């Protein structure tokens, strides 16, 4: 069996349980049972509104987000589920920065919990640049189930890698 590249940081016990589900061909079924339906955020505008709603609820005083979009060029293979970029431009004698969030298109037809986890992760980068304790504390503040959703998303990526089939279809 190939190594579980999305689950490398987890314990041997956890990896054994996942391996057992894979060998029994039940990993996809477990995920479908836990998350029965895909979200209905289909357009870049709907994604922008969704992320802005999260930002206004949890990060009111943070810098504005100028653009949010699904991006077909982001490849999960390179471990990019989403991307937060800051573009700085000089305007006169001032330095202006714009924040952009991009989400891999593979998550257009995923459960809302996965999209929320990615959005929360990228929003947290507006305040905390590094993946440190403060960053994950902010993620958990915005989404208390952040770590569970991240783990389940990694399970989904593992299933996608093995089977090549998406579990949820866009409606």
């Amino acid at each position: 069996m190939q190594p579980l590249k999305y689950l490398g940081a987890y314990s041997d016990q956890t990896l054994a349980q996942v391996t057992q589900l894979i060998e029994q061909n039940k990993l996809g079924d477990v995920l479908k049972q836990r998350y029965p339906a895909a979200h209905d955020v289909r357009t870049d505008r709907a994604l922008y509104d969704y992320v802005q709603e999260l930002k206004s609820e949890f990060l009111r005083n943070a810098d504005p987000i100028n653009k949010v979009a699904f991006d077909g060029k982001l490849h999960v293979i390179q471990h990019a589920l989403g991307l937060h970029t800051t573009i700085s431009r000089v305007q006169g004698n001032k330095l202006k920065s714009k924040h952009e969030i991009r989400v891999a298109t593979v998550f257009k037809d995923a459960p809302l919990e996965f999209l929320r986890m990615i959005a929360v992760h990228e929003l947290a980068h507006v305040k905390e640049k590094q993946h440190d304790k403060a960053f994950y504390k902010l993620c958990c503040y915005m989404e208390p189930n952040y770590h569970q959703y991240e783990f389940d998303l990694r399970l989904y990526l593992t299933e996608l890698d093995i089977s090549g089939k998406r579990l949820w279809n866009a409606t």
Side-chain angles (χ1 to χ4, degrees):
M1 189 174 132
Q2 60 192 16
L4 304 174
K5 63 184 173 186
Y6 299 107
L7 302 167
Y10 291 94
S11 70
D12 290 339
Q13 180 182 4
T14 301
L15 294 177
Q17 290 173 339
V18 172
T19 301
Q20 184 179 11
L21 285 172
I22 291 169
E23 288 171 354
Q24 295 171 353
N25 206 22
K26 291 185 179 179
L27 182 58
D29 295 337
V30 167
L31 288 168
K32 287 279 288 187
Q33 183 178 7
R34 194 173 291 163
Y35 306 101
H39 61 77
D40 59 357
V41 179
R42 296 281 168 245
T43 65
D44 288 345
R45 179 65 199 188
L47 181 62
Y48 178 84
D49 292 342
Y50 179 73
V51 170
Q52 287 295 359
E53 191 176 300
L54 286 171
K55 182 189 174 297
S56 68
E57 183 177 350
F58 296 107
L59 300 173
R60 285 188 199 118
N61 297 327
D63 292 341
I65 305 297
N66 300 89
K67 183 176 182 179
V68 181
F70 287 107
D71 190 343
K73 294 178 183 174
L74 284 179
H75 296 288
V76 176
I77 294 150
Q78 295 149 341
H79 303 291
L81 309 177
L83 183 65
H84 167 260
T85 56
T86 303
I87 301 166
S88 297
R89 293 189 177 99
V90 176
Q91 291 183 343
N93 60 355
K94 293 182 181 178
L95 186 63
K96 299 275 187 173
S97 63
K98 290 187 174 188
H99 294 276
E100 294 184 1
I101 293 176
R102 299 183 181 279
V103 176
T105 53
V106 70
F107 299 109
K108 261 190 176 180
D109 59 350
L112 185 61
E113 292 85 354
F114 294 177
L115 183 65
R116 183 176 176 95
M117 180 247 132
I118 295 166
V120 160
H121 183 99
E122 300 308 329
L123 277 172
H125 278 303
V126 173
K127 286 263 191 199
E128 300 290 337
K129 303 300 182 213
Q130 302 297 319
H131 291 116
D132 56 12
K133 192 173 186 176
F135 173 83
Y136 287 108
K137 185 176 180 182
L138 181 57
C139 287
C140 289
Y141 166 72
M142 290 190 282
E143 175 48 63
N145 293 322
Y146 175 84
H147 292 294
Q148 182 64 53
Y149 294 158
E150 180 183 21
F151 176 71
D152 290 344
L153 184 131
R154 289 175 180 277
L155 290 178
Y156 172 54
L157 293 175
T158 301
E159 173 66 19
L160 194 59
D161 200 33
I162 291 168
S163 72
K165 291 185 251 173
R166 296 184 180 181
L167 297 178
W168 300 273
N169 292 323
T171 54

